[in-house]
Amino acid sequence: MSQSFVIIGDGVAGSSAAETIREREPDADVTILTDEGEALYNRILIKEFAKGKLPEAPISIHDESWYDERDIDLRLNTLVTDIDTDAHVVHTHEGDDLAYDAVLVATGGTPTQLPVENSDADGIHHFWTFEDARRIREHTEKADSGVIVGAGLLGIDLAAICAGQDIDAKYLMRGNRWWRYALSEDGAEIIHDALAEKGIEPVFESGASGFETDDDGHVVATLGGDGGRYESDFVGIAIGLNFNVEFLQDTGVTIDNGIVVDEYMRTDAEDVYAAGDITRFYDTIRDTHAQNGSWGSAKQQGSVAGHAMTADDVEDDVEAFRWVSSYSITHFDFPFLSFGFPTDGDEHAERRYSETEWRRLAFEDGKLIGGVLIGDLAPQSKYKQLIRAEADVADQSDVLLQQNFELEELDVDL
């Protein structure tokens, strides 16, 4: 009797796992369940679509024929309501029961809603799916004034969308700078200036305390935490994700701000795996559990999960997940890239080289664990190599911050 594999979620993690399983088990039953109405698309490019820079065509990665060709049963608009880990059965909202030998949870998250008055009003948007991007593009093409809430990597995408659609927008930030956990004031100043050049005004020590609506329930103004009132017929909110784990209650799966997995994407429940944004994975480099939302990380986790789900002996047959992630921003005239865990660390070193070139490195117990590069991304591969090698280099930060340093200049074995 052939094996049966069920994958919940058709993002890059779920799709990568399905492809890996099919390559390793040509005769197995492989089913993907997703509550979205379309197959895998490029989450990186949907921001360019929302800015009006791209048509829909380049965004999709897989059409439904891709799944047919690989004999993968793709079920769109399907919500999983429960997993019976004792019986090895997945239940859906339509009453279907799918038996499995192994199941992968790759459902990602749902954007967090602001807990303030009128936060669900018409004209207030969250940005996560392709459908979100379509609604945002349609609205921003008609809007005149806007407000962005959320001083992180998704928030700046919404700010760039407003700039791309020529909206006069305010970017409300609770702290004194953008992404304050990863950037110093010196580095953030480069970003603030670039936003202002595109017509986006940063407003610090603010955030949103509520929204005003018209008689039709459409947002017209944002009430700032600084006491200000900001005209806004478009509002974009990006303050984090709530992970989709409701259906895992009473399954034995450990939930701790995400699904806890080991380096092979295994949960605490037998034959239940998880991959992608939703995981708190075991990081073999730092010897701790961590989270990461990058595309490359999710794809690799899906591949590791697919191998583990089909392996006879996981520890012997599967290469553990070991990854240094990166996330880039291309909204400005200069490039921006973060790598590893730039918001962590017990020691930091930084240097500014010009008006638009800056870098910052994060260290933990003497080892490089992450950083941010603005203006010159060339050193990223060297920094990632040092992270993977778990090299003790914090005392050589002067060398690391040289504009064109070489690994051979470091007193370290690689």
Side-chain angles (χ1 to χ4, degrees), residues 75-362:
R75 304 190 188 185
L76 303 174
N77 300 306
T78 300
L79 180 67
V80 171
T81 57
D82 179 52
I83 298 178
D84 186 333
T85 53
D86 292 328
H88 278 49
V89 174
V90 174
H91 303 289
T92 75
H93 75 291
E94 293 181 336
D96 293 332
D97 299 332
L98 290 85
Y100 66 84
D101 290 290
V103 61
L104 174 70
V105 181
T107 48
T110 302
T112 301
Q113 184 169 310
L114 268 174
V116 300
E117 186 178 6
N118 294 326
S119 64
D120 59 349
D122 290 342
I124 297 179
H125 297 266
H126 299 87
F127 186 36
W128 192 243
T129 68
F130 200 175
E131 193 56 38
D132 293 335
R134 293 186 183 100
R135 286 192 290 265
I136 288 170
R137 178 167 172 166
E138 181 181 5
H139 187 181
T140 54
E141 287 175 345
K142 300 178 291 186
D144 295 317
S145 61
V147 159
I148 307 304
V149 181
L153 297 172
L154 288 179
I156 205 164
D157 287 345
L158 284 162
I161 289 167
C162 286
Q165 299 287 9
D166 296 321
I167 294 176
D168 178 20
K170 303 289 192 297
Y171 193 168
L172 308 187
M173 308 182 193
R174 288 194 301 173
N176 66 346
R177 63 190 183 276
W178 178 75
W179 207 22
R180 65 188 186 274
Y181 300 112
L183 275 66
S184 68
E185 291 186 44
D186 200 26
E189 182 183 29
I190 298 174
I191 303 299
H192 302 158
D193 290 345
L195 287 167
E197 286 179 8
K198 291 184 174 292
I200 308 299
E201 179 185 345
V203 180
F204 306 115
E205 308 295 350
S206 181
S209 62
F211 301 97
E212 291 182 7
T213 62
D214 60 18
D215 292 340
D216 296 323
H218 193 287
V219 65
V220 294
T222 301
L223 305 177
D226 58 349
R229 179 185 181 277
Y230 303 96
E231 297 285 340
S232 48
D233 51 12
F234 170 88
V235 174
I237 297 175
I239 58 170
L241 292 176
N242 295 319
F243 296 111
N244 300 324
V245 296
E246 296 83 0
F247 60 91
L248 293 173
Q249 294 181 9
D250 304 320
T251 60
V253 173
T254 299
I255 307 296
D256 180 13
N257 192 31
I259 300 174
V260 178
V261 297
D262 66 9
E263 63 268 41
Y264 302 104
M265 305 298 113
R266 296 179 296 193
T267 72
D268 289 339
E270 186 178 7
D271 300 320
V272 179
Y273 299 74
D277 300 350
I278 201 170
T279 63
R280 279 188 59 81
F281 63 90
Y282 179 69
D283 183 359
T284 60
I285 297 175
R286 296 176 64 194
D287 190 26
T288 188
H289 278 84
Q291 281 181 299
N292 182 272
S294 75
W295 179 271
S297 174
K299 183 176 182 179
Q300 183 65 16
Q301 283 192 13
S303 177
V304 171
H307 277 86
M309 293 165 74
T310 53
D312 293 327
D313 188 318
V314 171
E315 282 80 1
D316 288 341
D317 299 340
V318 181
E319 185 175 348
F321 178 72
R322 187 177 176 86
W323 188 262
V324 181
S325 66
S326 59
Y327 189 96
S328 62
I329 292 174
T330 57
H331 301 313
F332 308 118
D333 295 334
F334 53 83
F336 172 105
L337 181 134
S338 66
F339 61 91
F341 295 92
T343 62
D344 294 348
D346 50 33
E347 188 177 348
H348 301 86
E350 66 178 84
R351 186 170 298 173
R352 187 163 182 170
Y353 307 91
S354 72
E355 290 301 308
T356 58
E357 187 176 341
W358 175 89
R359 78 183 66 154
R360 183 175 192 255
L361 304 176

Side-chain angles (χ1 to χ4, degrees), residues 10-86:
D10 189 41
V12 69
S15 179
S16 178
E19 189 168 16
T20 300
I21 291 170
R22 175 54 72 226
E23 289 172 353
R24 291 172 57 84
E25 295 289 345
D27 299 323
D29 293 328
V30 181
T31 303
I32 297 178
L33 311 175
T34 175
D35 59 0
E36 292 197 57
E38 54 200 318
L40 178 67
Y41 51 85
N42 191 323
R43 289 191 186 274
I44 298 172
L45 289 182
I46 59 174
K47 60 186 120 178
E48 299 302 319
F49 168 82
K51 284 195 289 187
K53 304 298 184 183
L54 287 176
E56 286 206 15
I59 312 300
S60 296
I61 295 177
H62 295 159
D63 58 24
E64 293 187 37
S65 65
W66 184 92
Y67 303 85
D68 293 338
E69 291 166 1
R70 290 159 179 79
D71 194 23
I72 295 171
D73 182 10
L74 173 66
R75 304 190 188 185
L76 303 174
N77 300 306
T78 300
L79 180 67
V80 171
T81 57
D82 179 52
I83 298 178
D84 186 333
T85 53
D86 292 328

